[in-house]
């Protein structure tokens, strides 16, 4: 399968879900962004995994599992986000035994998979289908300049009353403000309208 490599662009506090964070992954070639809602513990663990110089006084769960993987003579070779169902991402962690090269694939929550990947500097991949379903692409040149200073407010259920240029403007604002939940809803509305045109 033709997998698309993702890089971590950042983690921000989710504006729509209390106590949750948005992990932002990006496809390097197309700049399509994949926002994933994760919990507080996972956000902290990913952040600490990215900061190689910071070591907590006691090992976190992902540090403990990483130590076990190394002790068992395995390496983490990649993470694959292979599916999204009803807004839930499904991922596999791929391991390889250093001695006999035996491969091991484990099902994992995406947040845990990414937290492990950063500890092993392992690549993160996804499929074209996942990027197509949940990815957000900001095409600034397509955003209409005709939107006045009084910008429309995106409330659930009223998107049907807005023009495509107004929705594009809201999408641009949502991504700039790192409100990825709202951006995902706006992107879905744009895709829905494009399907109608086809």
């Amino acid at each position: 399968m033709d997998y698309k490599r993702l890089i971590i662009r950042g983690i921000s506090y989710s504006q729509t879900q209390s106590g949750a964070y948005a992990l932002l992954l990006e496809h390097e070639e197309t700049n399509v962004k994949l926002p994933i809602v994760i919990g507080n513990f996972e956000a902290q663990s990913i952040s600490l995994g990215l900061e190689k110089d910071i070591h907590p006084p006691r090992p976190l769960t992902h540090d403990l599992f990483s130590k076990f993987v190394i002790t068992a003579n395995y390496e983490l070779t990649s993470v694959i986000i292979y599916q999204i169902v009803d807004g839930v991402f499904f991922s596999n962690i791929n391991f390889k035994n250093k001695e006999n090269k035996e491969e091991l694939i484990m099902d994992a929550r995406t947040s845990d998979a990414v937290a492990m990947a950063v500890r092993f500097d392992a690549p993160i991949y996804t499929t074209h289908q996942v990027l197509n379903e949940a990815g957000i692409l900001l095409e600034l040149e397509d955003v209409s300049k005709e939107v006045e200073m009084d910008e429309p407010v995106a409330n659930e259920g009223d998107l049907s009353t807005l023009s495509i240029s107004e929705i594009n403007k809201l999408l641009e604002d949502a991504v700039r403000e790192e409100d990825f939940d709202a951006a995902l809803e706006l992107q879905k509305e744009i895709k829905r309208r494009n399907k109608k045109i086809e």
Side-chain angles (χ1 to χ4, degrees):
M1 185 173 276
D2 181 26
Y3 290 119
K4 312 294 181 185
R5 186 162 181 173
L6 302 171
I7 55 172
I8 298 172
R9 274 291 175 225
I11 298 172
S12 67
Y13 191 74
S14 175
Q15 310 212 1
T16 57
Q17 292 190 34
S18 178
Y21 289 78
L23 167 66
L24 188 63
L25 303 174
E26 182 180 82
H27 182 225
E28 281 182 299
E29 293 173 22
T30 62
N31 296 324
V32 172
K33 292 166 181 60
L34 197 65
I36 300 172
V37 176
I38 62 174
N40 179 35
F41 172 75
E42 292 79 8
Q44 180 186 29
S45 184
I46 292 168
S47 296
L48 285 171
L50 290 168
E51 296 292 332
K52 305 294 184 191
D53 299 334
I54 300 174
H55 302 285
R58 303 295 298 138
L60 300 176
T61 305
H62 298 110
D63 297 324
L64 182 65
F65 189 55
S66 297
K67 186 77 171 173
F68 175 79
V69 169
I70 293 165
T71 304
N73 212 19
Y74 276 83
E75 60 183 344
L76 194 156
T77 56
S78 66
V79 163
I80 298 174
I81 305 168
Y82 64 89
Q83 189 178 13
I84 178 171
V85 178
D86 296 328
V88 178
F89 292 90
F90 290 77
S91 298
N92 283 333
I93 305 177
N94 299 314
F95 299 95
K96 185 182 279 187
N97 187 295
K98 290 181 182 176
E99 285 180 13
N100 61 20
K101 305 301 179 193
E102 177 189 349
E103 294 185 355
L104 174 66
I105 299 172
M106 294 184 73
D107 181 38
R109 295 185 310 165
T110 300
S111 55
D112 291 328
V114 171
M116 291 296 296
V118 298
R119 284 162 171 75
F120 285 87
D121 292 319
I124 302 166
Y125 298 101
T126 193
T127 65
H128 176 73
Q129 182 182 356
V130 169
L131 274 180
N132 201 33
E133 278 187 49
I136 296 172
L137 178 61
L138 251 192
E139 297 179 29
L140 296 177
E141 61 273 10
D142 290 343
V143 176
S144 173
K145 306 289 185 208
E146 298 170 10
V147 179
E148 297 296 323
M149 292 303 286
D150 296 329
E151 294 171 4
V153 178
N155 294 320
E156 238 176 272
D158 71 355
L159 292 179
S160 60
T161 63
L162 301 177
S163 71
I164 194 73
S165 64
E166 290 172 325
I167 292 174
N168 275 320
K169 178 63 177 154
L170 287 172
L171 176 60
E172 178 188 351
D173 294 343
V175 172
R176 186 175 58 247
E177 293 166 11
E178 298 184 348
D179 185 357
F180 301 116
D181 296 328
L184 188 56
E185 289 305 311
L186 292 162
Q187 187 77 13
K188 283 180 185 174
E189 176 66 15
I190 292 168
K191 286 179 182 175
R192 186 184 66 76
R193 291 189 187 192
N194 287 341
K195 279 183 185 173
K196 278 188 177 179
I197 292 169
E198 290 169 9

